[in-house]
Amino acid sequence: MTGPLPGESMQADAVYMGMALDEARAAGAVGETPIGAVVVCNGAVVARAHNRRETDRDPLAHAEMLAIRQAALRLDRWRLSDCTVYVTLEPCPMCAGAMHASRIDRLVYGATDPKAGAVGTLYDLSSDERLNHRFSVTSGVGAEESSELLKDFFAGLRARDKGERR
């Protein structure tokens, strides 16, 4: 775990993670897995998104992917080297790969993902020396609330599925 970049603070991390959590709640409200992401560039929010895989019928519509694409379009460039991505769940290999490809400076995430985490849990694409770009990672910001949103969502799905089988 590393700290904020110069000019950022732990308080700012909490504020931006709060925005990502708002996105996660919006995802859950429409039946999507409650994961949210925010991209911040030079202290300004340039993108916000939440999972839309079910809505869009798109396996690539993870919150991070949508937010990174939105940030690149808004900033009119693919290199996001002065940006920080805030996301409620540790990124999967696809999303960590997109962070590598977009050259982000920093990632801040909430809950770890024991099944697909690719920035420290199962893999670490953020600091693999074989790759041509590395980015700093701060974990655990908003972890408890991020975990609770996911646990409640999946408990609801299991309860619904159990009710349908009767």
Side-chain angles (χ1 to χ4, degrees), residues 34-57:
I35 300 170
V38 172
V39 179
V40 175
C41 185
N42 297 317
V45 174
V46 294
R48 300 172 66 130
H50 56 265
N51 271 18
R52 294 184 51 90
R53 290 190 317 169
E54 301 297 330
T55 303
D56 294 351
R57 293 177 176 80

Side-chain angles (χ1 to χ4, degrees), residues 68-69 71-73 75-81 98-104 132:
I68 289 168
R69 180 176 290 133
L73 289 171
L75 296 171
D76 195 28
R77 56 189 164 95
W78 67 267
R79 283 186 183 91
L80 303 179
S81 55
M99 290 173 199
H100 167 267
S102 65
R103 309 296 196 263
I104 67 149
N132 65 340

